[in-house]
């Protein structure tokens, strides 16, 4: 205690020195609980008073509002403790605890201020609010569970008030003192080990608070912890995280998973109900549902892998205890992709139409292909159908180019319906298609083409000018102007007349060169071919020319076609009689008849007693027409009901005796012969033949004078007017002449006969030139339908066959076996020499009438021969 007083005095001296230095304020310090009479400080001395002066000048404290705990000694002038100082009572928790005193000095009057600090001593032990505190703690409280405790209080300050806490030993509890700037110190009772009410129902602990004073003081409080027997087992799942996989095409109501949580409690504490919380995504709350009793999670919405492929769910299992406890688990639901999205094809660019001359590799369209599925389900394979002429080329992922793989031809295909097909790699695979219409634009790459290279046109003669002959049509598969065709006649055609070949001319009627445009014309738009003038078969038989078709493209293309115009004969010419070419007796008979006979009458003679069948004359006629129109027949007009002594060959025109002539027939017979053709309608001509009947001698005279000229005949006719004596002399002269002529003819016949026996028989070649049109009658008589005749050379005097030669413009029929009879088949009559087809049809000449050959119909040349020569073959009958 003495040491403490010495320390207080030292402090007092220090304060006085500090007061002196600071300017007159005296400061003293005294510990609390100092005993009465303890000198706080030498106040008079510190105020500068001399000894005894404090009493003389009455140094005293000014009374305060409350009882002062210190006083001034009047004798010594020291400041003394007069009563107990309790810092806690004076200042409470305030620090420092300073008392402000006023010291009064009289004589003279002065006032001094004195500051007395009461220092703290550890005179107060820590104190809890209650000596005992009851706590309740559930046995299910987990370790680490904290219970806040109210700490003890200490009236001291500073180190004396700094408390530390201790807890009596317990394996279940511990103390935790937490210090924060905001809340200061917080004391917690921490559960270190799980409680079990059945093992330790009540835990009794002593909490001790110790301050920092010297010596330290302590305070205690008993903690009574009651363990409540409650729902101390929460439901628990056997896994904290469940993983479930479900295909995106699962139907609503599908059971995804059945969860099971267990609770070790019994009764109501073990009854569990389940609840579902959606963690992510938040908008998937209506997709799933959990059965609160069974824990089954069902699918209530539609899944779409392309929208959400992963769901995170939290399932809470809560028992029905008081308080209820919950267990938790997470369900990670993975949506599996199903191939439920077909590929999609878009056309991003289309460049149409495509020119038909576009080069291979030209890009026609740009395509984009995608599939919302993933993996193999989203891997797309593309191709184009049909495979040609287009193909696909991949540019980068999901993009393709539709390119031209083959050359185009608009005339073959003017528009393509292309289909781009896509197929994914799913099972089963899904397909998509996109149709493209790709028109092909035209290029003038096709020349007009006629349906035929050669057109054969048949036109009847005497047609009206402007009559349509034919319609020509050239096809140009191009379109628009490239396919618009115009027609024209190329002036290179020639007319072919009856007088000779095209381009030849003669004094007897050849036509020469004439342009085809003078005969025909063609309409430039329709291709209609019409005649500019009437055609005459006798002047023009074949007209060959070219028609040109030109399109309107750029550049223009053209095509040609040859037109062979054949003029068909019409029966527009009547038969025409030729001058008599009979025996010399005709001229003699005419002389004997006298010059005063009728004009246009033909004369012939016959001897009395001539047998039946003797030819007395031959009527010759020609028809300018051809074919059947020029096929002539001869008919004898006899009195009705009568039958004369003469007859005429139906096709030969030979007039012969029908029976032996006698005197009853009279000296002269007048015959009327009608010549008709076979045209429709038939045309005819008539000839009058006067036949004089003579004696045998006169007949011989007439035969001898057959070679006399027409002037001699005239003189004989003039002599007929003389008397009977002159006539007799003339008869003798003519008889001698006839005998000489007959002898000469006999010798000539013998010479020719011998020459024919030793000379080889050969065919005679005609001169160069085209073949002429020749038609023959069925019985062998010649009828010429051209203006120029051809001479034939005969090897002997036997009866010969007519010959017909022409070069047609159609191929010959296949050869066949020849007939064994005397009449060959038509196919056996065809032969080819030097590129010319020759048709020889034999007809026999005979003085006797013969039956017509049924197959020997008139034939006509259809075109000029290609070769330089025509071979005329002669065949014997």
């Amino acid at each position: 205690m003495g040491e403490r007083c010495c320390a207080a005095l030292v402090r007092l001296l220090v304060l006085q020195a500090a007061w002196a230095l600071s300017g007159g304020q005296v400061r003293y310090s005294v510990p609390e609980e100092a005993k009465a009479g303890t000198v706080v400080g030498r106040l008079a001395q510190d105020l500068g008073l001399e000894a005894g002066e404090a009493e003389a000048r009455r140094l005293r404290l000014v009374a305060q509002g409350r009882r002062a705990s210190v006083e001034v000694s009047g004798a010594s002038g020291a400041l003394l403790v007069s009563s107990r100082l309790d810092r806690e009572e004076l200042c409470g928790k305030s620090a420092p605890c300073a008392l402000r005193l006023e010291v009064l000095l009289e004589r003279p009057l002065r006032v001094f201020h004195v500051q007395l600090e009461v220092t703290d001593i550890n005179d107060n032990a820590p104190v809890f609010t209650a000596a005992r505190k009851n706590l309740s703690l559930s046995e299910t409280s987990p370790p680490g569970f904290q219970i806040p405790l109210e700490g003890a209080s200490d009236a001291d300050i500073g180190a004396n008030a700094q408390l530390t806490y201790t807890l009596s030993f317990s394996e279940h509890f511990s103390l935790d003192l937490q210090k924060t700037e905001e809340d200061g110190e917080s004391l917690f009772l921490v559960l270190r080990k799980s409680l079990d009410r059945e093992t330790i129902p009540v835990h009794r602990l002593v909490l001790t608070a110790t301050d920092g004073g010297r010596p330290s003081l302590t305070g205690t409080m008993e903690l009574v912890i009651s363990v409540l027997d409650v729902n101390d087992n929460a439901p628990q799942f056997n896994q904290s995280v469940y993983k479930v996989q479900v295909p995106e095409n699962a139907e609503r109501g599908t059971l995804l998973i059945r969860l099971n949580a267990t609770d070790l409690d019994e009764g109501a504490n073990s009854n569990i109900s389940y609840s579902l919380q959606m963690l992510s995504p938040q908008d998937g709350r209506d997709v799933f549902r959990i059965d609160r009793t069974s824990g089954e999670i069902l699918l209530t919405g539609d899944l779409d892998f392309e929208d959400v492929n992963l769901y995170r769910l939290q399932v809470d299992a809560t028992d029905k205890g008081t308080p209820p406890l919950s267990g938790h688990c997470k369900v990670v639901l993975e949506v599996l992709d199903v191939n439920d999205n077909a590929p999609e094809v878009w056309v991003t660019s289309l460049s149409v139409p495509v020119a038909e001359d576009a080069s291979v590799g030209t890009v026609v369209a740009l395509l984009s292909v995608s599939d919302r599925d993933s993996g193999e389900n989203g891997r797309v394979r593309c191709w184009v159908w049909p495979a040609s002429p287009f193909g696909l080329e991949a540019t980068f992922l999901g993009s393709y180019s539709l390119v031209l793989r083959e050359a185009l031809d608009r005339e073959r295909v003017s528009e393509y319906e292309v289909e781009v097909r896509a197929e994914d790699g799913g099972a089963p695979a899904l397909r998509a298609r996109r149709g493209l219409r790709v028109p092909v634009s035209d290029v003038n790459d096709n020349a007009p083409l006629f349906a035929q290279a050669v057109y054969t046109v048949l036109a009847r003669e005497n047609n009206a000018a402007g009559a349509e002959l034919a319609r020509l049509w050239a096809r140009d598969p191009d379109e628009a102007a490239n396919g618009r065709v115009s027609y024209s006649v190329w002036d290179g055609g020639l007319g072919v007349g009856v007088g000779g070949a095209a381009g030849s001319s003669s004094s007897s009627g050849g036509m020469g060169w004439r342009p085809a445009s003078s005969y025909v014309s063609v309409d430039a738009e329709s291709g209609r071919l019409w005649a500019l003038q009437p055609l005459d078969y006798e002047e023009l038989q074949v007209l060959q020319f070219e028609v040109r078709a030109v399109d309107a493209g750029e550049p223009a293309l053209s095509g040609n076609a040859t037109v062979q115009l054949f003029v068909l004969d019409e029966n527009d010419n009547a038969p025409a009689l030729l001058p008599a070419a009979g025996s010399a007796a005709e001229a003699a008979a005419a002389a004997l008849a006298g010059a005063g006979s009728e004009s246009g009458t033909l004369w012939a003679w016959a001897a009395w007693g001539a047998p039946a069948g003797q030819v007395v004359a031959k009527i010759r006629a020609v028809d300018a027409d051809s074919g059947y129109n020029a096929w002539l027949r001869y008919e004898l007009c006899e009195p009705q009901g009568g039958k004369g002594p003469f007859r005429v060959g139906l096709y030969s025109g030979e007039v012969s005796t029908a029976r032996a002539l006698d005197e009853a027939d009279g000296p002269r017979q007048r015959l009327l012969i009608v010549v008709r053709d076979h045209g429709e309608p038939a045309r005819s001509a008539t000839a009058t033949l006067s036949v004089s009947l003579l004696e045998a001698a006169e007949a011989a005279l007439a035969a001898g004078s057959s070679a006399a000229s027409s002037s001699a005949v005239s003189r004989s006719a003039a002599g007929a007017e003389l008397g009977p004596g002159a006539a007799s002399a003339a008869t003798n002269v003519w008889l001698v002449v006839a005998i000489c002529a007959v002898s000469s003819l006999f010798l000539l016949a013998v010479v020719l006969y011998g020459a024919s026996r030793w000379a080889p028989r050969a065919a005679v070649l005609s001169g160069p030139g085209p073949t002429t049109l020749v038609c023959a009658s069925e019985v062998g008589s010649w009828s010429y339908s051209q203006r120029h005749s051809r001479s034939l050379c005969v090897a002997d005097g036997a009866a010969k066959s007519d010959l017909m030669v022409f070069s047609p413009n159609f191929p010959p029929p296949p050869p066949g076996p020849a007939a064994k009879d005397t009449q060959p088949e038509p196919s056996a009559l065809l032969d080819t020499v030097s590129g010319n087809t020759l048709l020889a049809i034999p007809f026999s000449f005979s003085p006797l009438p013969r039956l017509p050959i049924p197959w020997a119909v008139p034939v006509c040349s259809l075109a000029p021969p290609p070769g330089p020569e025509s071979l005329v073959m002669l065949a014997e009958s």
Side-chain angles (χ1 to χ4, degrees):
M1 189 68 180
E3 292 179 355
R4 292 181 60 187
C5 292
C6 291
L9 291 175
V10 173
R11 287 197 297 270
L12 180 61
L13 294 175
V14 173
L15 288 176
Q16 288 177 350
W19 173 81
L21 293 176
S22 61
Q25 185 175 11
V26 181
R27 292 187 179 186
Y28 298 103
S29 175
V30 62
E32 66 173 337
E33 302 296 337
K35 294 180 179 181
T38 302
V39 177
V40 177
R42 297 180 182 275
L43 181 60
Q45 185 179 356
D46 293 334
L47 294 177
L49 298 179
E50 297 293 336
E53 187 178 359
E55 184 177 3
R57 297 184 64 176
R58 300 191 60 170
L59 180 64
R60 60 181 180 86
L61 290 177
V62 178
Q64 299 293 330
R66 55 183 176 175
R67 185 178 65 85
S69 298
V70 292
E71 62 182 3
V72 177
S73 172
S76 62
L79 184 62
L80 303 176
V81 175
S82 62
S83 61
R84 176 176 176 268
L85 290 175
D86 189 356
R87 192 201 66 82
E88 290 73 25
E89 183 181 351
L90 294 175
C91 297
K93 298 295 288 184
S94 298
C97 182
L99 299 179
R100 294 182 179 275
L101 304 178
E102 289 184 357
V103 178
L104 184 63
L105 184 63
E106 298 179 356
R107 301 175 187 170
L109 182 63
R110 290 187 63 182
V111 178
F112 297 95
H113 293 280
V114 179
Q115 185 174 355
L116 178 63
E117 181 182 1
V118 181
T119 61
D120 182 51
I121 63 172
N122 191 20
D123 57 346
N124 293 285
V127 178
F128 289 95
T129 56
R132 180 177 180 178
K133 185 174 181 64
N134 295 322
L135 298 177
S136 296
L137 188 62
S138 174
E139 62 177 336
T140 60
S141 298
F145 185 81
Q146 297 178 347
I147 301 175
L149 297 178
E150 185 178 356
S153 62
D154 194 326
D156 296 328
I157 61 174
N160 298 325
Q162 292 180 357
L163 303 180
T164 58
Y165 298 92
T166 58
L167 187 66
S168 61
F169 174 77
S170 174
E171 62 179 355
H172 293 89
F173 298 96
S174 64
L175 288 178
D176 184 15
L177 182 62
Q178 298 178 2
K179 296 182 179 181
T180 60
E181 295 181 358
E182 294 82 5
D183 299 335
E185 294 182 353
S186 297
L187 184 62
F188 294 92
L189 181 65
V190 180
L191 180 64
R192 294 174 57 190
K193 184 178 180 180
S194 299
L195 300 176
D196 189 358
R197 192 197 68 81
E198 288 74 22
T199 302
I200 304 177
V202 177
H203 293 266
R204 297 181 179 272
L205 304 176
V206 175
L207 178 62
T208 302
T210 304
D211 60 21
R214 289 184 181 183
S216 60
L217 300 178
T218 61
T220 61
M221 181 176 64
E222 184 182 12
L223 298 177
V224 180
I225 304 171
S226 299
V227 180
L228 301 178
D229 186 15
V230 292
N231 187 21
D232 56 350
N233 292 287
Q236 293 185 355
F237 294 92
N238 54 1
Q239 292 180 225
S240 61
V241 178
Y242 293 88
K243 293 183 178 181
V244 181
Q245 292 181 337
V246 58
E248 63 174 324
N249 62 347
E251 298 180 355
R252 295 186 179 185
T254 301
L255 174 63
L256 301 180
I257 188 173
R258 178 182 286 108
L259 300 178
N260 184 27
T262 59
D263 194 328
L264 299 179
D265 295 326
E266 295 181 351
N269 294 331
S270 63
N271 294 333
I272 300 174
S273 63
Y274 299 90
S275 61
L276 183 65
Q277 297 181 15
M278 180 64 65
L279 298 181
S280 65
Q282 293 298 327
D283 55 352
R285 298 181 182 274
D286 298 332
V287 180
F288 307 101
R289 180 180 65 84
I290 190 170
D291 189 287
R292 300 185 63 86
T293 302
S294 64
E296 294 179 348
I297 298 178
L298 304 176
L299 182 65
T300 58
D302 296 327
L303 300 177
D304 191 350
F305 174 85
E306 289 70 38
D307 292 338
V308 181
N309 56 12
L310 189 68
Y311 291 90
R312 296 182 183 273
L313 312 177
Q314 177 176 312
V315 177
D316 296 335
T318 306
D319 59 22
K320 296 183 179 180
T322 303
L325 300 179
S326 299
H328 315 283
C329 73
K330 292 182 180 180
V331 178
V332 178
L333 193 144
E334 181 182 1
V335 181
L336 300 180
D337 183 41
V338 176
N339 192 24
D340 58 345
N341 291 281
E344 296 180 349
V345 181
W346 296 280
V347 179
T348 58
S349 177
L350 181 62
S351 179
V352 292
V354 181
E356 64 176 321
D357 61 348
S359 60
V360 175
T362 300
V363 177
V364 178
L366 297 179
L367 305 171
S368 178
V369 180
S370 65
D371 194 318
R372 296 183 61 196
D373 296 322
S374 62
E376 289 295 328
N377 297 332
R379 187 172 291 111
V380 182
R381 180 176 65 93
C382 294
W383 70 95
V384 64
W385 186 90
S388 60
F390 301 101
L392 282 182
E393 291 184 357
T395 54
F396 49 91
L397 184 63
S399 296
Y400 295 86
S401 296
L402 181 68
V403 298
L404 187 63
R405 292 282 177 83
E406 299 177 5
L408 300 178
D409 186 1
R410 191 204 64 83
E411 290 69 40
R412 185 172 61 87
V413 180
S414 62
E415 184 177 279
Y416 290 89
E417 292 293 338
V418 181
E419 196 172 72
V420 178
R421 297 181 176 181
E423 180 183 75
D424 59 25
L430 298 181
R431 297 175 177 86
R433 59 187 63 187
R434 172 73 65 176
L436 297 177
R437 176 179 169 270
V438 183
V440 181
S441 61
D442 184 50
V443 175
N444 191 25
D445 57 345
N446 292 277
L449 179 64
F450 286 92
Q452 301 173 220
V454 178
Y455 286 86
T456 300
V457 179
L458 303 179
R460 294 187 177 274
E461 65 172 332
N462 302 321
N463 60 298
E468 182 176 338
L469 302 178
R471 285 185 181 268
L472 307 181
W473 181 70
R475 179 180 178 270
D476 192 327
D478 296 325
E479 65 178 357
N482 296 332
R484 188 165 58 247
V485 180
S486 60
Y487 304 89
S488 62
V489 175
W490 180 56
D491 287 336
L494 305 173
V496 180
V498 297
S504 65
S505 62
S506 65
S507 60
S508 58
M511 294 184 59
W513 293 84
R514 293 187 63 183
S517 58
S518 63
Y519 290 98
V520 294
S521 179
V522 63
D523 186 85
E525 295 183 359
S526 65
R528 184 174 64 92
L529 183 69
W530 72 78
L532 296 176
Q533 61 183 18
L535 302 176
D536 189 356
Y537 176 82
E538 288 71 39
E539 293 181 1
L540 178 66
Q541 299 172 12
V542 180
L543 180 63
Q544 181 170 315
F545 57 92
E546 287 189 358
V547 174
R548 179 167 296 173
V550 182
D551 60 26
E554 186 64 34
L557 302 178
S558 63
N560 298 332
T562 301
V563 179
Q564 290 181 345
L565 176 62
F566 293 95
V567 182
L568 301 181
D569 182 49
E570 293 285 341
N571 192 25
D572 58 345
N573 293 282
L577 297 173
L578 298 177
S583 64
E586 298 177 8
L592 294 176
S597 59
E598 299 180 13
S599 175
T601 302
L602 303 177
W603 298 89
W605 57 268
W608 297 108
Q614 182 177 354
V615 178
V616 297
K618 185 171 183 178
I619 306 300
R620 297 179 182 274
V622 294
D623 195 319
D625 297 322
S626 65
Y628 279 95
N629 295 330
W631 186 14
L632 304 180
R633 62 182 178 179
Y634 301 86
E635 299 176 358
L636 180 61
C637 292
E638 298 182 0
Q640 187 175 5
K643 190 172 184 181
F646 297 96
R647 62 184 178 186
V648 64
L650 180 61
Y651 297 104
S652 64
E654 295 177 345
V655 179
S656 60
T657 57
R659 54 179 173 80
L661 301 177
D662 53 23
E663 296 181 356
D665 294 324
R668 179 179 297 179
Q669 291 287 331
R670 186 178 181 87
L671 305 178
L672 182 61
I673 299 173
V674 179
V675 184
R676 289 189 177 89
D677 58 25
H678 282 73
E680 289 293 339
R683 295 179 179 269
S684 63
T686 60
T688 301
L689 177 64
S690 179
V691 182
S692 298
L693 302 181
L694 305 175
E695 294 294 337
E698 295 178 349
L701 178 61
S705 60
S706 60
S709 62
S710 58
S711 60
V713 175
S714 302
R715 290 193 298 269
S716 298
E721 298 177 357
L722 303 177
S728 177
T731 301
N732 293 332
V733 174
W734 284 108
L735 183 58
V736 174
V737 173
I739 293 173
C740 294
V742 170
S743 299
S744 301
L745 291 174
F746 177 77
L747 291 175
L748 180 60
V750 172
V751 172
L752 293 175
Y753 180 78
S756 65
R757 288 296 182 181
W758 285 278
R761 299 182 180 181
V764 179
L765 295 177
S766 68
T771 305
T772 59
L773 183 64
V774 182
C775 296
S777 67
E778 293 182 356
V779 296
S781 65
W782 287 92
S783 298
Y784 297 93
S785 62
Q786 64 272 23
R787 301 298 175 86
H788 299 283
S789 62
R790 305 292 186 192
S791 60
L792 299 177
C793 298
V794 185
D796 56 18
K800 303 300 177 184
S801 300
D802 293 346
L803 187 66
M804 176 175 276
V805 182
F806 66 94
S807 297
N809 63 345
F810 51 83
K820 295 182 179 180
D821 54 10
T822 58
Q823 297 180 357
E825 292 296 327
S827 61
L829 301 176
L830 291 176
D831 193 9
T832 304
V833 180
S834 300
N836 298 326
T837 303
L838 308 178
L839 177 59
I841 305 177
F843 299 93
S844 298
F845 287 104
S846 173
L848 298 178
R850 301 182 64 180
L851 295 176
I853 302 174
W855 51 267
V857 297
V859 292
C860 302
S861 173
L862 300 179
E869 296 181 348
S870 298
L871 178 63
V872 180
M873 300 180 63
L874 189 62
E876 285 186 318
S877 61

